[in-house]
Amino acid sequence: EPEVTQTPSHQVTQMGQEVILRCVPISNHLYFYWYRQILGQKVEFLVSFYNNEISEKSEIFDDQFSVERPDGSNFTLKIRSTKLEDSAMYFCASKGTGNNQPQHFGDGTRLSIL
Amino acid sequence: GDSVTQMEGPVTLSEEAFLTINCTYTATGYPSLFWYVQYPGEGLQLLLKATKADDKGSNKGFEATYRKETTSFHLEKGSVQVSDSAVYFCALVVSSGNTPLVFGKGTRLSVIA
């Protein structure tokens, strides 16, 4: 069964550094998402993306964050200048077209900011 | 706004016990409802879903019925196994297209032999 893949599985970065989290959505999916989960807390929506532009973003997704689909397969989340509170598990998801399609998630990238 | 409320965990059960994890929701529209499961060290996997009232989603022995009158989507399993130990998330999405999922806080289940 097709999967959403995310790399790296774990990223350790110094505060203030830029980080790029990578995702390869399922190949025929057109809707893409990033969520995050701070340790022990709920999964929170960051941003959704369709047709090469952001569809919706949450309050968390401030100017430090950006997303890009640089080619036909990758979907990236960039954090420009990381803060300690950015430490979390980041999940990428994708969804096909058609009614009531579920979102399929990757295994996540654990981001640790030192 | 839309929200999902799950019962607080952790839930600890003996193998073969009956499981119920309560989930209720508030939504401005007519949501589709989901249960996702997160096994230790892994990502979120779709466990089951229901898209309209009275639908029953089922998978791997788990079931949940979409109850519009009580705005609930409780997860049940008749006989849990140690391998069911995981965190379970109830979630909803209102409308189609690119609307994001709204998750509950998750319920950690530990099944002991």
Side-chain angles (χ1 to χ4, degrees), chain A residues 42-43 56, chain B residues 1-5 24-33 91-95 99-104:
Chain A
K42 70 193 307 184
V43 178
E56 188 174 341
Chain B
D2 302 335
S3 67
V4 175
T5 302
T24 57
Y25 66 88
T26 58
T28 51
Y30 198 152
S32 294
L33 302 173
L92 67 82
V93 67
V94 177
S95 84
T99 314
L101 284 163
V102 175
F103 284 90

Side-chain angles (χ1 to χ4, degrees), chain B residues 95-109:
Chain B
S95 84
S96 57
N98 220 11
T99 314
L101 284 163
V102 175
F103 284 90
K105 289 186 176 180
T107 303
R108 181 175 299 278
L109 169 67

Side-chain angles (χ1 to χ4, degrees), chain B residues 4-13 17-25 33-39 47-48 57 61-67 70-81 84-91 103-111:
Chain B
V4 175
T5 302
Q6 288 181 238
M7 63 186 285
E8 293 283 330
V11 174
T12 302
L13 294 173
F18 184 85
L19 168 71
T20 301
I21 300 178
N22 290 338
C23 170
T24 57
Y25 66 88
L33 302 173
F34 305 85
W35 277 99
Y36 281 83
V37 59
Q38 185 178 29
Y39 297 104
L47 181 60
L48 52 84
F62 291 89
E63 292 182 340
T65 301
Y66 189 143
R67 301 283 187 206
T70 54
T71 62
S72 65
F73 192 54
H74 304 322
L75 183 69
E76 296 182 336
K77 186 174 185 183
S79 176
V80 293
Q81 305 299 312
D84 294 325
S85 298
V87 181
Y88 292 83
F89 292 91
C90 186
F103 284 90
K105 289 186 176 180
T107 303
R108 181 175 299 278
L109 169 67
S110 296
V111 180

Side-chain angles (χ1 to χ4, degrees), chain A residues 11-17 19 82-87 111-114:
Chain A
Q11 174 81 45
V12 181
T13 302
Q14 292 288 330
M15 187 172 58
Q17 295 296 305
V19 65
T82 50
K83 305 186 285 288
L84 292 175
E85 54 265 38
D86 293 328
S87 296
L111 178 62
S112 300
I113 307 301
L114 305 178

Side-chain angles (χ1 to χ4, degrees), chain A residues 31-33 35 37 41-43 45 48-50 55-56 89 91 95 99-108, chain B residues 4 32 34 36 38 41-46 49 51 87 89 93 96-106:
Chain A
Y31 299 106
F32 313 118
Y33 310 81
Y35 295 82
Q37 183 184 28
Q41 298 187 24
K42 70 193 307 184
V43 178
F45 167 70
S48 58
F49 192 88
Y50 171 73
S55 307
E56 188 174 341
M89 181 74 91
F91 291 107
K95 184 171 79 82
N99 289 333
N100 300 315
Q101 292 296 308
Q103 294 178 26
H104 295 264
F105 285 78
D107 283 346
Chain B
V4 175
S32 294
F34 305 85
Y36 281 83
Q38 185 178 29
E42 298 185 15
L44 295 163
Q45 299 177 25
L46 178 67
K49 69 174 185 176
T51 58
V87 181
F89 292 91
V93 67
S96 57
N98 220 11
T99 314
L101 284 163
V102 175
F103 284 90
K105 289 186 176 180

